[in-house]
Amino acid sequence: MKFGREFETQMIQEWREAYMDYRSLKSIVKQILRFRLQKRLPHPPPPPPPSGENAPLQAEGQEGGTGSAGLSRRISLYRAFSGLTNRASRSPRKSHKPHNPLSSKRHNHHHYHLFDDDEEQVILINEDESASYTTTFLSSAEEGGEIEVQFFRRLDGEFNKVLRFYKQKVENVMEEADELSRQLNVLIALRIKVENPNVHLPPDINSVSSAPSSPHATVRTPATSPMDVIREVEETEDKKVFKPAPVEMLDHIKLKIEPETPLSTLKLMILGLPSEQTFSKPELKRAEELMSRAFVEFYQKLRFLKSYCFLNQLAFAKILKKYDKTTSRNASKPYLNTVDHSYLGSCDEVSRLMSRVEATFIKHFANGNHREGMKCLRPKTKREKHRTTYFLGFFSGCAVALAIAITVLVHIRGLTKSEGRHQYMENIFPLYSLFGFVAVHLFMFAADIYFWSRCRVNYPFIFGFEQGNDLGYREVLLVGSGLAVLTFGGVISNLDMEMDPRTKSFSVITELVPLALLACLMIALFCPFNIIYRSSRYFFVGSVFRCLLSPLYKVILPDFFLADQLTSQVQTFRSLLFYVCYYGWGGDFKKRTHTCYDSEIYKELYLVVAIIPYWFRFAQSIRRLVEEKDKTHGLNALKYLSTILAVAARTIFEMKRGTYWLTVAVTTSTIATLFNTYWDIFKDWGLMNRNSKNPWLRDKLLVPYKSIYFIVMAVNVVLRLAWMQTVLGIKEAPFLHKRALVAVVACLEIVRRGIWNFFRLENEHLNNVGKYRAFKSVPLPFQELGGSKTV
C-alpha cells in the first residue's frame, strides 16, 4: 500500500483536517517533476539516503510502570496522590521552545547556514516569536523555481498548522491531567471515609514517621481518624516524608455520582431536590467506575496525540524524501532537523504523562495487576475471524437455496390458485412477515456499516460501541442470513394448504412453528451466555429499555437513533400484536382462523402500537428541549406529533372509511410528509445549502459523486409517499395479496430508513470532524460546593 493511502487510513478521522496535507504537497512535487521532464533539466544522481536523526521514523512502544513498591498494596489505595503532572514539585511549566541551532529568529535578523561548507545551501529556515516557521528557497531564480517556492510555502503552512494543533492539544491534556489528579485525591479521601481501613504501617514507615530529626515527620498516635495512620511516601533530596491524604476536603465537595434511574428522575421532577450524599459504598463504587472510565478515555487521548505526532513526522520525512528524489537537492536534512527540534519533535510531555497514567491506573484501579491494568487502558483490537466469513457464505447459500425451493414448491403445487391461498395469507403470512422485516433491516444496516467503513465514518465512536466488540458488516449479515434460513425453513413447513380430512384441522406441530421461531428469537436476544455477540445484544436491549422509558432517561445518540429505526418498524409491532391475538384470545391456530380484525380491543391496540415508536421520539425530543433549552428539539417534537396524528388518522380511515376520515388522513399525512422530508434533507442530512462549496449540498461530502445526493433526496421523497397506498384504497396489486402488498410497502420504508441512516451518520461524523471531537466526554464524580465546576 502506498504511503498516502496508509497515512489516510491511520489518521484519527475527527482530526483529519489537522494533519499534514500530504496529497496536496505530493501534487506540487509531481508538478515539479513534470516541469523538469518537459524542460529536460539535468537530473544528477539522488542524494544519499538519510541516516541518524533523519532516518525513517519508528513507532515507540509504551510500557507502563508498576508503581512504587515501598508500601503494601492495601495502604497504597488510600495514600494521597501527588498528581499526574507533578507540577507541584517542579517549577511552573514554561512554553516549550528548545534551542534550534538550525533555524534563526526573525527578530534578531540572524541566519545560520543549514549546510556544511562543502554542501550547496538550498534553504534557510526562520522561526519568529510566535514559534511559526518560514522557509526561504535560495534557488528561486532558477527555471521552475517558482513551483519549488510554492512547495516550501505550502510545506511551512502545513508544518505551522500541525504545530499549533499539537501544542494546543498538549496544553489541554496537561490541564485535564491536573483536574484528574484533584479528582483522584478526592476519591482516595472518599475511600478512607467509606472503608475506614484499619491499616498498620510497616516498621520502616513507623521509624521514619517517628524520627524526631525530621521536621515533616508525624508521630503516630492513637486516633479515630484513619488519616493519622495513612501517609503518602514522597521522595525528597535526602529523606522520605509522609503526606496526609486530606479527607477533610470532602466537607467542600459535592458528589455527582447518583446513577440516573427512572425513580431518581421522577423524584427530582416531583420534589425538585436531589438526594443527599451519604458517602456510602455504592457511591464509592460508582465514583471509582467514573474515574476509571475517565482515566481510560484520557489515556486514549494521549495515545491519539502520540500517534498524531508520529504520523505527521513520518509524513514530513516522506514528502521531503520525495522532493529530494525529484529535484536532486538535499533539503530534507535541514528541514527534518528543524522538525526534530521543534515542539512537535522534542516535546516529551505526552510520553511521560502516558507512563504516569499507566502507573496510576495500575495502582489505583487494577489492584497492582499490570496485565489487567494495561488490558483496560489499551483498546481491544478487533480480529477478523475466518469462521465468520465461512458461516456467512454457508447461511447465505442456504437462504438462497431455500428461497428457490419455496418458489418451486409454490409453482409445482399451484398454491397461488389454491382455495386455501386466502386463508394462508390472512393467518400464516403475517406471522412470518415479522421475521422478514427484521431480516431486511439487518441487511440494510449491514450495507450501512460497509459504506460507513468505506467512507471512513467512525460509527463505533458515534454510537459509543465498546472498542473491539463492535460488529462489522459481516457479523450483521451473518445474523440476518441466519434469521432468513430459519424463516424460510419455517415457511416450507407451513406450505400445506389443505386440512387433514380426518381431524378437520392442520398439524399442531407445523402451526406452532412461527411461535417457536419467535420464542427462539427472544431467547437468543436475552441469552445470558457469551454467545451470539452478547455485548452487542445487551447494548441493544439497554437502548430498547431506555426508549421504553424515554422521558425518564437522559437522551443519547444510540437511543434516539434506535427510536428512529423503530418508527420504520410499525408493521413489525403490529405483527407482534397479531401473534398475541392469533395464538391467544382471538384465533384457532389449528384451523387457521381468527377473529382479530373484528375485535374492538384488537383495533384499539392496532392503533396504539403504531403510535408507540413515534411517541418514543416525541418524548426524547421533549426531554432534550427541557435539558438543552434548544428550540430545534421543540420543532423536532412537533414533527413527530404531526406524524402521530397522521398515523392515527390513516389507521382510523383504514377501519372506518368515509369521506371525513379520508380528508383528515390526506391532510395530516401531507403535512407530516412535508415536515419529515424537510427535516430529513435540511436537518438530519445537512443538505440543500445554496451557498456551500457544493451548490445545494454541503461544504464537505464523503461520497465522491455529487449526483448520488440528489438521487437519494428524490428517492427519499418518493418512498415517503408510500402512505398513499392506504388513502387511495389500493388493497391488492396484480399477483399480490393485500397482506403481501402491506409487507412490500413496509419493506420499502425499511429501505428508505437504511438510506437515511448512511447520510444521517455521515452528517454527524462531519460535525465531529469540524469540531475535532474524537472523544466521549466522561462526567467526573466530584465538584465544589456552591459551584458547578469540578474540583
Side-chain angles (χ1 to χ4, degrees):
M1 180 184 294
K2 292 186 177 181
F3 174 75
R5 292 183 181 178
E6 186 177 357
F7 181 58
E8 293 182 356
T9 301
Q10 295 186 12
M11 281 181 182
I12 300 160
Q13 295 303 317
E14 288 75 12
W15 292 355
R16 187 182 187 89
E17 295 184 357
Y19 281 83
M20 188 257 269
D21 192 350
Y22 182 84
R23 183 174 295 181
S24 66
L25 288 168
K26 185 179 177 181
S27 66
I28 299 177
V29 173
K30 288 183 177 180
Q31 289 181 23
I32 298 174
L33 178 60
R34 285 194 296 267
F35 179 84
R36 287 178 168 267
L37 291 176
Q38 290 174 0
K39 298 297 182 179
R40 299 187 181 277
L41 295 180
H43 196 79
S51 59
E53 51 186 13
N54 289 332
L57 302 174
Q58 300 293 330
E60 298 177 2
Q62 284 293 321
E63 287 296 327
T66 58
S68 60
L71 295 178
S72 66
R73 171 56 43 194
R74 177 66 176 169
I75 296 177
S76 67
L77 290 176
Y78 305 103
R79 61 189 188 185
F81 184 53
S82 58
L84 292 171
T85 58
N86 287 334
R87 295 193 190 188
S89 61
R90 300 185 306 186
S91 59
R93 188 166 55 92
K94 299 179 181 180
S95 61
H96 190 93
K97 289 186 180 180
H99 173 65
N100 181 4
L102 301 173
S103 64
S104 62
K105 301 290 184 180
R106 284 197 167 183
H107 61 273
N108 59 15
H109 302 287
H110 182 73
H111 296 272
Y112 289 94
H113 290 291
L114 303 181
F115 286 83
D116 297 335
D117 294 338
D118 57 343
E119 290 181 330
E120 180 187 359
Q121 188 173 351
V122 179
I123 57 175
L124 286 176
I125 305 174
N126 302 305
E127 180 185 6
D128 60 20
E129 293 180 353
S130 61
S132 295
Y133 292 86
T134 305
T135 302
T136 303
F137 180 61
L138 302 180
S139 302
S140 58
E142 295 181 2
E143 190 175 7
E146 64 277 2
I147 306 179
E148 298 184 53
V149 170
Q150 179 187 358
F151 171 79
F152 283 106
R153 187 182 298 121
R154 186 61 181 266
L155 185 67
D156 290 339
E158 295 300 320
F159 183 39
N160 293 326
K161 177 187 71 175
V162 170
L163 273 179
R164 286 192 298 270
F165 182 82
Y166 184 68
K167 188 179 294 185
Q168 177 189 359
K169 289 299 179 182
V170 171
E171 291 174 355
N172 291 344
V173 296
M174 295 301 291
E175 293 175 1
E176 190 172 347
D178 289 338
E179 179 60 34
L180 283 177
S181 301
R182 291 190 288 268
Q183 293 275 333
L184 186 56
N185 261 326
V186 178
L187 178 65
I188 294 170
L190 181 62
R191 281 175 177 167
I192 296 171
K193 187 172 184 67
V194 171
E195 298 181 355
N196 194 20
N198 185 18
V199 297
H200 301 282
L201 297 176
D204 59 329
I205 294 180
N206 290 332
S207 61
V208 173
S209 63
S210 60
S213 59
S214 175
H216 299 284
T218 304
V219 179
R220 185 182 173 205
T221 56
T224 57
S225 173
M227 285 305 303
D228 296 328
V229 296
I230 298 178
R231 300 292 182 262
E232 163 76 342
V233 178
E234 288 189 345
E235 296 289 344
T236 61
E237 294 180 359
D238 56 350
K239 59 183 175 293
K240 291 183 178 180
V241 181
F242 295 95
K243 178 183 176 182
V247 72
E248 292 82 4
M249 69 171 59
L250 293 177
D251 297 335
H252 310 285
I253 296 300
K254 177 183 178 182
L255 278 68
K256 303 186 302 178
I257 57 179
E258 183 178 0
E260 185 183 29
T261 61
L263 184 62
S264 64
T265 303
L266 288 174
K267 183 178 179 181
L268 184 63
M269 291 171 59
I270 297 173
L271 302 179
L273 295 173
S275 60
E276 297 181 357
Q277 53 189 30
T278 59
F279 300 117
S280 60
K281 287 189 175 181
E283 287 180 340
L284 173 61
K285 183 178 179 181
R286 176 64 177 165
E288 288 178 333
E289 290 176 356
L290 288 176
M291 286 298 298
S292 176
R293 285 173 49 198
F295 267 85
V296 170
E297 194 69 21
F298 181 66
Y299 187 77
Q300 181 76 349
K301 292 181 183 180
L302 297 177
R303 293 181 70 252
F304 279 11
L305 267 177
K306 188 170 184 179
S307 169
Y308 175 84
C309 177
F310 168 72
L311 280 178
N312 278 291
Q313 286 180 280
L314 184 58
F316 281 112
K318 290 287 186 180
I319 197 64
L320 284 166
K321 179 182 177 182
K322 189 176 290 291
Y323 170 81
D324 284 354
K325 183 178 180 180
T326 302
T327 61
S328 301
R329 304 187 191 277
N330 197 1
S332 61
K333 181 178 179 180
Y335 207 99
L336 289 180
N337 280 335
T338 302
V339 173
D340 290 342
H341 287 84
S342 68
Y343 191 89
L344 183 69
S346 59
C347 176
D348 61 346
E349 295 282 5
V350 174
S351 296
R352 288 193 286 109
L353 197 52
M354 286 182 71
S355 299
R356 184 66 172 160
V357 169
E358 290 170 0
T360 302
F361 188 86
I362 291 168
K363 180 172 69 174
H364 287 279
F365 300 102
N367 200 25
N369 190 321
H370 182 273
R371 177 179 295 180
E372 289 299 321
M374 296 308 298
K375 184 178 179 181
C376 294
L377 285 175
R378 291 177 178 170
K380 181 180 178 182
T381 57
K382 185 177 179 180
R383 296 180 179 179
E384 294 292 340
K385 298 179 180 179
H386 294 296
R387 66 170 177 266
T388 300
T389 305
Y390 170 78
F391 282 112
L392 172 59
F394 176 75
F395 284 129
S396 299
C398 290
V400 172
L402 289 173
I404 295 174
I406 292 173
T407 304
V408 172
L409 288 175
V410 169
H411 178 71
I412 293 177
R413 297 183 182 180
L415 300 182
T416 56
K417 300 178 181 179
S418 173
E419 294 180 358
R421 170 178 176 267
H422 179 76
Q423 188 180 23
Y424 181 90
M425 295 300 296
E426 289 290 337
N427 295 273
I428 302 300
F429 183 82
L431 302 176
Y432 285 111
S433 62
L434 179 148
F435 305 106
F437 300 145
V438 175
V440 171
H441 213 135
L442 286 172
F443 293 145
M444 291 302 300
F445 192 66
D448 288 330
I449 293 176
Y450 174 77
F451 287 109
W452 286 332
S453 302
R454 287 289 301 271
C455 295
R456 297 189 178 95
V457 174
N458 193 359
Y459 69 92
F461 166 72
I462 295 174
F463 287 131
F465 292 153
E466 184 179 349
Q467 196 162 3
N469 289 331
D470 55 291
L471 298 184
Y473 73 94
R474 289 186 180 89
E475 288 83 0
V476 179
L477 279 177
L478 176 61
V479 175
S481 60
L483 180 61
V485 168
L486 292 177
T487 304
F488 288 150
V491 169
I492 290 178
S493 69
N494 276 119
L495 278 180
D496 293 329
M497 297 293 178
E498 303 294 336
M499 291 189 295
D500 187 341
R502 182 174 56 86
T503 60
K504 301 297 182 181
S505 64
F506 292 91
S507 172
V508 175
I509 296 177
T510 57
E511 295 306 302
L512 288 176
V513 168
L515 185 61
L517 284 179
L518 182 62
C520 290
L521 189 62
M522 293 296 104
I523 292 173
L525 183 61
F526 294 97
C527 178
F529 302 110
N530 192 14
I531 56 174
I532 318 177
Y533 312 117
R534 181 177 63 179
S535 61
S536 298
R537 288 189 286 109
Y538 282 11
F539 185 91
F540 174 77
V541 171
S543 292
V544 170
F545 181 75
R546 290 189 293 273
C547 286
L548 292 173
L549 301 175
S550 293
L552 306 180
Y553 276 101
K554 183 178 179 63
V555 183
I556 56 178
L557 188 142
D559 295 346
F560 72 71
F561 189 86
L562 175 62
D564 279 323
Q565 308 306 303
L566 296 180
T567 59
S568 296
Q569 288 283 0
V570 169
Q571 209 57 42
T572 301
F573 284 86
R574 287 174 168 173
S575 296
L576 282 173
L577 175 63
F578 184 76
Y579 263 91
V580 176
C581 178
Y582 184 74
Y583 288 105
W585 79 85
D588 185 358
F589 66 89
K590 295 180 182 179
K591 297 182 178 180
R592 290 186 183 175
T593 58
H594 68 88
T595 57
C596 297
Y597 300 143
D598 298 327
S599 171
E600 292 298 325
I601 297 177
Y602 181 85
K603 290 180 180 179
E604 294 174 359
L605 293 177
Y606 189 79
L607 172 61
V608 171
V609 296
I611 293 175
I612 287 177
Y614 299 101
W615 159 254
F616 294 158
R617 287 299 287 121
F618 174 77
Q620 289 173 343
S621 299
I622 294 297
R623 171 73 185 249
R624 296 186 71 181
L625 174 64
V626 172
E627 288 185 341
E628 302 175 19
K629 311 299 181 184
D630 188 350
K631 295 180 181 180
T632 304
H633 300 308
L635 293 175
N636 202 19
L638 287 177
K639 180 192 74 172
Y640 287 105
L641 180 61
S642 69
T643 309
I644 289 174
L645 295 176
V647 170
R650 290 201 301 267
T651 304
I652 295 175
F653 169 73
E654 187 179 353
M655 296 176 181
K656 296 185 177 181
R657 298 292 173 178
T659 305
Y660 172 76
W661 284 111
L662 175 61
T663 305
V664 173
V666 171
T667 304
T668 55
S669 297
T670 301
I671 295 173
T673 300
L674 293 175
F675 206 161
N676 281 274
T677 302
Y678 167 81
W679 203 271
D680 286 344
I681 297 174
F682 286 82
K683 299 294 184 179
D684 291 337
W685 295 354
L687 301 176
M688 298 301 289
N689 186 352
R690 184 175 56 183
N691 299 320
S692 69
K693 297 177 182 178
N694 305 295
W696 298 106
L697 297 176
R698 66 168 100 87
D699 289 340
K700 299 175 183 177
L701 303 173
L702 296 182
V703 180
Y705 307 105
K706 298 178 184 179
S707 58
I708 296 294
Y709 291 91
F710 294 103
I711 293 173
V712 297
M713 283 191 282
V715 170
N716 184 73
V717 172
V718 172
L719 294 181
R720 278 283 186 189
L721 298 175
W723 55 267
M724 295 181 66
Q725 169 261 335
T726 301
V727 298
L728 293 178
I730 303 175
K731 295 183 178 180
E732 293 198 31
F735 308 107
L736 274 181
H737 190 271
K738 61 180 180 180
R739 300 299 168 195
L741 181 60
V742 170
V744 169
V745 173
C747 288
L748 290 176
E749 168 59 21
I750 295 172
V751 171
R752 188 201 66 81
R753 180 60 62 183
I755 297 173
W756 179 91
N757 289 344
F758 175 83
F759 294 98
R760 174 65 181 88
L761 232 65
E762 179 202 31
N763 192 35
E764 182 70 22
H765 172 76
L766 291 175
N767 288 335
N768 290 340
V769 171
K771 299 176 182 177
Y772 300 109
R773 188 167 50 204
F775 311 100
K776 293 291 184 182
S777 59
V778 179
L780 297 176
F782 309 109
Q783 78 176 42
E784 295 177 356
L785 284 175
S788 59
K789 64 179 182 179
T790 53
V791 298

